[in-house]
Amino acid sequence: MVRADVRDGARGGAGGAAGGAVLFDFDGTLFDASEAIVHAFNAALRSRGIEAWPRERVLPLIGRPLVEMFPRAAPSASSGEIKDMVRVYREVFLPVCVSLTRPLPGLVPCLRALAAEGFRLAIVTNRKEDGARRILEGFDLCDAFDTVIGIDDVARTKPDPEPVRLALARLGVAARDAVLVGDTPQDMQAAAAAGVRAIGVLTGPFPAEPLRAAGAAAVLPDLTGLPEQVRRVLGRKPCPGATSLPASSASTAGNEAASLPGFDEEEEADVMEEVDVLVIGGGTAGTVAAIQSARAGARTMVLERGPNLGGTMTTGGVAFPGLFDAWGRQIIAGIGWDLVRESVELDGGTLPDFSKVPERHWMNQVKVNPFLYALLAEEKCREAGVAIAYYEFPTRIVRHAGGWQVDCAGFGTRRRVLCRQVVDCTGGAEVVGLLNLPRLREPETQPGSLLFCLGRPCEAGRVGTIDALYVHGADSTNSRTATAANLEGRKDLLARVRASGKRLMHAQPEASFRESYRIVGETVVTVDDYTSGRVFEDAVCYAFYPVDLHTKDGVKPQPLARGTVPTVPLGALVPKGSRDILVAGRCVSSDRRANSGLRVQASCMAMGQAAGAAAALAVAANTTPLHVGLCELRAMLRQHGAIVPGAGQDTRGKS
C-alpha cells in the first residue's frame, strides 16, 4: 500500500502557484480499480441471473455512472432492477475496493510535486464520493486533496461541465488557472465545456487520438511527467526552491529500468552470464520453477541470497508442507511432490494416506527432513543443468535486446545476467518492486514464527510442528525489517529459555514470514474465488488450505466447504501490464484472505512449476508468458507429473 504524506508541509510555498488548481479524474487516472469494479459488476449481474461479463467487455464502461453501466448488460431491466443491481454492486465493491485497487504509476511523487508548488488539488469523478474516499483512506491519501466531487454532489455528470465547475467553486479558483487530468474523452469534454484546459493520460482504456480529438492540450503515458506539463499548459514557472522529480523516483512505465544502489552500469561485472530463464529466489516456489524450466530445455539460473535452497522448509524450518490432497485425492503433484516424497523415503519416514479425509487439515501435512530436502533440491538442480548462485541478490534490472539485464551483488561478487525471462520467487515480489510495478500489502502483517525445541532433540522428519513463538510485526520487506524481526524473536526465545529452566536443543537460524507484498496481476484471486473453488479458464494448478489468517490473538482456520478445491490462474502469476516476467509463491496476485490459503508450501510448489514451464515455453516461442498456449503449457505440466485443473488428470488417488 502507498503510505505517504503528500503535503509534507509544502503547501503554499513562497512563490508557489497561488490560485492554481489541478483537478483529477479518479478511475484510470489516479487508481486502477478495474479488478474491484469487474468483480462487483459481475456479482450484481449474477444477482439477477445474468451471465458474468468477461473483463474486456466491462473495461470500456468504467468511468460511467453505474446507472448507465448496468443497462448495457441488462437492456430489458426495469429501473427498480437497475437500482437493485447498483445496490448489490456497492455492497460487494466497498469491502474489496482497497485490496483490489492499485495506485497508477507516479501517483505519490506527482501529487507531492504539485503540492510543493502550491497547486490546490481536487478529484472530479463519476463514482460516489464515499467509494472514492474509501480508496483514498486505504492509501492514506485523503489529506492530499482539498475536495472530492462525486456523482452524488451534482445533477449532471461528466461530460457535462457541472462537476468541474463545482470543484472550481469549492476551491475558489478561476477556470483559466486550472487543469483537468483524465483518461477518457468525457473528461476532456467536461474540461472544455467548463473552460478548463485538459491533459490526457494513457493509463485508462483510450489511446491518445480520441483524447486529443476531445480537447486534450497534451497527452502523457502516465502521471510521472505531469507537474512539468501542468506548468507548461498554464504558462507557469517552477516554484523557487521546488525540485524536479528525480528519475529514480519515477515509475518505470513499460518496465524499462529500475535499480537499487549497486554497481554502476559503466562498471565491469566480475562475472557475466547469459541464460534463458533467471529465477530469483530459491525457496519453496523458486527451486521447483528452476528445475521445471531447465527440464523443459531452457538454460536456467537460480539466484538465492541464502546458503541453500528450500526457503521456508529448510532455513525457516517449516518442514511439514501441505496440502497436497483434498477430499480423498491428491490434487498437487509434480516436481515439488517428487522432492518431498523422495526426502521422506530416503529418511525412512511415512507418507499420509491421501485416500482418507482427515478430521483436521493438518493431519495430512507431510513430515520432511529439511536437511535432506536441501541436499536433494541441489541434486535435482545439478541433474537438470540449473546454475546456482548463493549469497547474491539483484540490485538493478533493465531492458536489453530480447529480454533483461539483471545486475546482482554478493560479497566479493558483481554478476551481470542477461536473460530472456525472469521468474520472481522472492516471497515479497522484490523484483516486481524493483521495477516499480504495483504491489499490495496491509499496514499490519501477520506475525512470523521462530521455531525451536526446548528440553528435547529436534527429530527432523519425525515430528511436524515443533515449539514455536509468534514474532509480532514480522516484516520481510527489507533487510532492516527482517533484522528487526529476527532480533525480536531471539530476544523472546532467550526469555522463554530462562523462564523454562530447560535446555535449548534446537533453534532455526531465522524467523519464518507468513506475509509480505503481493503483486497486482492480470487476474486477482479473491476470497470468493478461493472459497467457491472457482475454476479459472487459464487455471494452471490447484491449491488447498483453509483461509488461515494469523493475528495477535492467534488463528482460527476457516475450512473450505466439502468438495471445494480452489485453482490458480496463469493471470495471477503475471504482473499487470508487464512482459517477460512471472511471479510464483506467496506473492501471487490475490486479496489478503485468499492469500492466507494460497501461501502454503504445496500450492507454492505447484505455482513454481507452472511459472517455470510458462517461462521456458515463452523462450521457445519467442513470446511473453501470458501469450503462451494454454494447451501447450498444460501438456508440459502433465508431462512432468503435475496435476492440472480441467486437463483430464485430476487425481492420483493414494500416495
Side-chain angles (χ1 to χ4, degrees):
M1 293 292 187
V2 174
R3 301 286 168 196
D5 182 358
V6 167
R7 296 177 189 254
D8 258 351
R11 272 281 189 230
V22 181
L23 316 181
F24 290 91
D25 172 54
F26 193 86
D27 292 296
T29 301
L30 298 176
F31 293 94
D32 179 1
S34 60
E35 292 295 338
I37 292 170
V38 171
H39 174 63
F41 183 81
N42 282 328
L45 293 187
R46 287 192 291 267
S47 74
R48 306 300 306 176
I50 301 171
E51 186 176 349
W53 276 27
R55 173 184 167 83
E56 59 270 16
R57 289 189 69 189
V58 181
L59 292 183
L61 301 181
I62 294 177
R64 298 177 181 272
L66 293 174
V67 292
E68 293 180 17
M69 289 176 67
F70 285 112
R72 303 293 184 97
S76 61
S78 67
S79 59
E81 290 170 330
I82 295 296
K83 187 176 180 181
D84 279 344
M85 284 191 276
V86 170
R87 176 186 55 78
V88 172
Y89 174 95
R90 288 182 175 141
E91 288 175 354
V92 173
F93 177 83
L94 287 176
V96 301
C97 64
V98 175
S99 63
L100 295 186
T101 293
R102 65 182 179 96
L104 285 165
L107 172 60
V108 171
C110 169
L111 297 180
R112 187 175 286 138
L114 291 170
E117 296 199 29
F119 283 104
R120 305 199 72 191
L121 307 180
I123 289 172
V124 179
T125 176
N126 278 356
R127 67 161 59 244
K128 286 193 75 173
E129 182 182 347
D130 65 341
R133 287 195 180 277
R134 180 75 67 93
I135 293 172
L136 291 173
E137 288 169 2
F139 288 89
D140 274 1
L141 287 173
C142 268
D143 290 342
F145 297 93
D146 297 284
T147 191
V148 177
I149 307 297
I151 193 173
D152 36 355
D153 294 310
V154 294
R156 295 174 298 278
T157 60
K158 297 180 293 183
D160 192 275
E162 181 185 352
V164 179
R165 288 172 176 159
L166 178 58
L168 295 176
R170 286 188 182 178
L171 297 174
V173 174
R176 66 177 178 274
D177 294 321
V179 170
L180 185 144
V181 183
D183 67 304
T184 70
Q186 289 91 338
D187 296 320
M188 309 298 104
Q189 292 161 0
V196 170
R197 276 160 287 195
I199 295 174
V201 288
L202 300 179
T203 44
F206 291 94
E209 199 49 47
L211 301 179
R212 291 195 181 97
V219 178
L220 301 175
D222 55 37
L223 297 172
T224 302
L226 183 67
E228 181 181 353
Q229 194 61 244
V230 168
R231 292 195 300 268
R232 184 176 294 128
V233 168
L234 292 178
R236 304 287 178 92
K237 293 182 179 179
C239 166
T243 57
S244 298
L245 184 66
S248 62
S249 66
S251 161
T252 55
N255 317 146
E256 293 304 317
S259 64
L260 292 172
F263 64 94
D264 295 332
E265 187 173 10
E266 292 76 18
E267 289 187 79
E268 294 213 5
D270 300 311
V271 183
M272 289 287 295
E273 306 274 1
E274 187 167 351
V275 297
D276 296 320
V277 176
L278 176 63
V279 178
I280 301 177
T284 306
T287 298
V288 176
I291 295 169
Q292 173 63 87
S293 170
R295 287 181 180 177
R299 295 172 300 164
T300 305
M301 167 174 266
V302 61
L303 198 74
E304 166 55 43
R305 71 179 62 197
N308 54 259
L309 301 174
T312 298
M313 181 143 23
T314 56
T315 308
V318 186
F320 36 98
L323 291 169
F324 294 92
D325 67 304
W327 316 117
R329 62 189 177 97
Q330 187 165 356
I331 50 94
I332 294 175
I335 293 169
W337 169 248
D338 290 343
L339 268 171
V340 167
R341 179 181 48 76
E342 188 170 346
S343 298
V344 173
E345 291 173 351
L346 186 58
D347 197 43
T350 58
L351 294 166
D353 182 352
F354 291 155
S355 67
K356 295 179 180 178
V357 179
E359 292 180 19
R360 304 285 297 277
H361 71 276
W362 50 265
M363 293 177 176
N364 270 2
Q365 288 181 306
V366 186
K367 298 168 186 175
V368 173
N369 185 319
F371 313 112
L372 276 175
Y373 184 91
L375 298 175
L376 287 168
E378 280 189 4
E379 178 185 66
K380 304 309 177 193
C381 282
R382 286 196 305 271
E383 291 172 350
V386 176
I388 301 174
Y390 288 134
Y391 306 111
E392 295 182 29
F393 55 91
T395 61
R396 185 170 185 266
I397 178 167
V398 297
R399 276 285 185 192
H400 86 97
W404 299 103
Q405 173 187 305
V406 184
D407 290 343
C408 313
F411 55 87
T413 303
R414 296 175 300 180
R415 185 188 305 270
R416 177 160 292 161
V417 183
L418 304 181
C419 62
R420 296 173 65 184
Q421 299 288 332
V422 166
V423 184
D424 183 348
C425 294
T426 56
E430 293 168 21
V431 181
V432 171
L434 197 58
L435 284 167
N436 285 334
L437 291 164
R439 298 183 295 173
L440 303 171
R441 76 184 288 272
E442 274 63 35
E444 181 181 353
T445 57
Q446 297 182 65
S449 288
L450 185 62
L451 305 186
F452 60 94
C453 279
L454 285 179
R456 60 184 174 85
C458 176
E459 296 184 271
R462 292 295 180 275
V463 295
T465 306
I466 55 178
D467 301 323
L469 57 81
Y470 270 163
V471 183
H472 294 292
D475 182 356
S476 62
T477 300
N478 55 62
S479 59
R480 302 180 305 281
T481 57
T483 296
N486 283 310
L487 290 174
E488 183 68 20
R490 291 167 192 157
K491 181 190 75 174
D492 291 348
L493 175 56
L494 183 57
R496 187 169 298 193
V497 171
R498 284 178 169 145
S500 72
K502 297 178 180 178
R503 293 181 64 204
L504 177 62
M505 307 296 291
H506 173 83
Q508 289 300 131
E510 68 177 26
S512 294
F513 297 89
R514 289 184 171 86
E515 186 175 27
S516 182
Y517 284 106
R518 310 183 303 277
I519 69 163
V520 177
E522 293 294 338
T523 304
V524 178
V525 181
T526 68
V527 70
D528 289 341
D529 296 329
Y530 187 80
T531 57
S532 67
R534 177 180 174 184
V535 180
F536 290 90
E537 289 185 7
D538 59 340
V540 290
C541 66
Y542 287 110
F544 188 72
Y545 210 74
V547 174
D548 190 58
L549 201 62
H550 292 245
T551 68
K552 291 180 178 179
D553 300 320
V555 58
K556 294 181 180 178
Q558 300 171 38
L560 299 176
R562 190 173 183 87
T564 298
V565 184
T567 67
V568 180
L570 178 63
L573 308 182
V574 178
K576 191 173 181 65
S578 69
R579 287 187 59 85
D580 305 328
I581 181 169
L582 289 145
V583 302
R586 71 175 183 226
C587 48
V588 60
S589 177
S590 51
D591 68 27
R592 193 185 189 204
R593 293 185 66 216
N595 190 263
S596 73
L598 289 167
R599 64 179 173 80
V600 298
Q601 288 164 296
S603 304
C604 289
M605 289 174 176
M607 288 184 250
Q609 185 163 355
L617 285 170
V619 168
N622 196 27
T623 187
T624 193
L626 200 60
H627 296 158
V628 164
L630 277 174
C631 289
E632 297 170 271
L633 175 56
R634 287 166 173 163
M636 175 173 286
L637 291 170
R638 289 196 304 273
Q639 178 187 347
H640 292 273
I643 298 171
V644 184
Q649 182 191 10
D650 60 0
T651 181
R652 287 287 183 98
K654 231 185 243 190
S655 62

